[in-house]
Amino acid sequence: MSTTAAATAIPETIVAWFHENGRILPWRESGFSAWGTLVSEFMLQQTPVNRVIPHLNAWLERWPTPADLAAAPPAEALRAWSSLGYPRRALWLHAAAVEITERHGGVVPSDVDQLLALSGVGDYTARAVAAFAYGMRHPVVDTNTRRVIARAVQGQAEPAPPSRTRDLAAMEELLPESLQDARDFNAGIMELGALVCVARTPRCGDCPIRDQCAWIAAGSPAYLGPRKSVQKKFEGSDRQVRGLIMKELRAAHKPVTATEIDTVWPDAAQRERALRGLIADGLAVASAEGGYTLPHG
């Protein structure tokens, strides 16, 4: 199939499939707020959907608007973040809420450049909010999107390492002109990559675009191209130690002593390195009373 034909046939097929098979998720419900969309995108970074939903619901019940979160101390955002991981996201989200309240009258902006100016908002999140919350026509590219395009259009088993310019151009070429179809295609291609065109064991027999897929047509060859670096395993890593220290800080409403922190991990050098990293990232602060606490504002 030519690239031009693929640019027409693949989006049409995926949109139709998505209408029939898309999961019912909070951020896809009619009337879901732009603030809710922004919060969900922060939470979904490197975190599975099933873990995010209960945290998202609780967060939006407690802080239904940016102004509500902005009025709370950063420590409360970190506590509410709980076990989602990568807690800097909570601090960035709190900072973004303050910025939205102060700069935009408490309304999440729809303009990509204004969204990018918010703390913690990168290119994917800005485009996702503009496309999914406001229905604007922007290519939205995540890991799942890249994998589907690599296989279906480029005939490769895996995508090459991320390239903003190349990835957005590849998605733009497929993106329908209709605002509604563009929104549904952005969501649908992600859904296809998450549920069917998965990384290790793709369910090609269930794929709606299997007859249009360049990778299948080529005989499903193994990927021999460059790969992005693989993240080190969590067990025994500094990330795990940071998480254990953060758990202590979230549970306490008074300073956690150095002696208490010493109990969370046996390796003193790694423990100290993790604690220094948390302080440098603004996730922990030394208390004037001695010990360490979450940031208070």
Side-chain angles (χ1 to χ4, degrees), residues 160-287:
S163 162
R164 178 185 180 278
T165 301
R166 185 176 62 243
D167 294 339
L168 287 176
M171 185 59 176
E172 176 67 40
E173 190 169 344
L174 295 172
L175 199 64
E177 290 298 324
S178 156
L179 293 181
Q180 185 62 54
D181 285 348
R183 185 179 189 275
D184 291 346
F185 179 60
N186 272 317
I189 194 170
M190 289 183 197
E191 191 82 333
L192 187 66
L195 300 182
V196 178
C197 192
V198 295
R200 294 185 179 179
T201 53
R203 296 165 45 210
C204 297
D206 297 327
C207 183
I209 57 170
R210 58 187 175 276
D211 294 336
Q212 301 153 317
C213 178
W215 182 54
I216 290 178
S220 304
Y223 180 70
L224 301 175
R227 301 174 187 271
K228 68 176 184 178
S229 58
V230 177
Q231 188 177 51
K232 295 179 181 177
K233 67 178 184 177
F234 180 74
E235 294 297 325
S237 68
D238 285 4
R239 286 191 299 126
Q240 183 181 16
V241 184
R242 284 166 61 103
L244 292 170
I245 296 172
M246 284 298 297
K247 184 177 180 180
E248 292 292 317
L249 298 179
R250 284 197 306 269
H253 289 271
K254 63 179 183 178
V256 177
T257 68
T259 301
E260 290 170 322
I261 289 176
D262 287 349
T263 66
V264 306
W265 194 255
D267 185 328
Q270 189 177 22
R271 193 175 60 239
E272 179 63 25
R273 184 168 65 245
L275 179 59
R276 287 199 309 268
L278 291 173
I279 293 170
D281 290 339
L283 293 167
V285 294
S287 170

Side-chain angles (χ1 to χ4, degrees), residues 59 62-63 69-82 87 90-95 98 246-254 282-285 292-297:
W59 189 284
R62 184 174 182 182
W63 297 304
L69 178 58
E76 290 308 303
L78 284 167
R79 286 195 174 92
W81 200 257
S82 185
L91 285 186
W92 290 333
L93 184 52
H94 183 276
V98 172
M246 284 298 297
K247 184 177 180 180
E248 292 292 317
L249 298 179
R250 284 197 306 269
H253 289 271
K254 63 179 183 178
L283 293 167
V285 294
Y292 303 90
T293 68
L294 296 174
H296 294 290

Side-chain angles (χ1 to χ4, degrees), residues 47-63:
T47 307
V49 167
N50 61 345
R51 288 189 58 210
V52 163
I53 290 175
H55 289 279
L56 175 67
N57 291 338
W59 189 284
L60 293 178
E61 183 174 346
R62 184 174 182 182
W63 297 304

Side-chain angles (χ1 to χ4, degrees), residues 19 42 44 51 58 82 108 111 115-116 118 143 191 196 218 221 226 228 248 263 282 290:
H19 289 167
F42 267 79
L44 286 163
R51 288 189 58 210
S82 185
V108 176
D111 178 77
L115 286 161
L116 283 169
L118 300 175
T143 300
E191 191 82 333
V196 178
K228 68 176 184 178
E248 292 292 317
T263 66

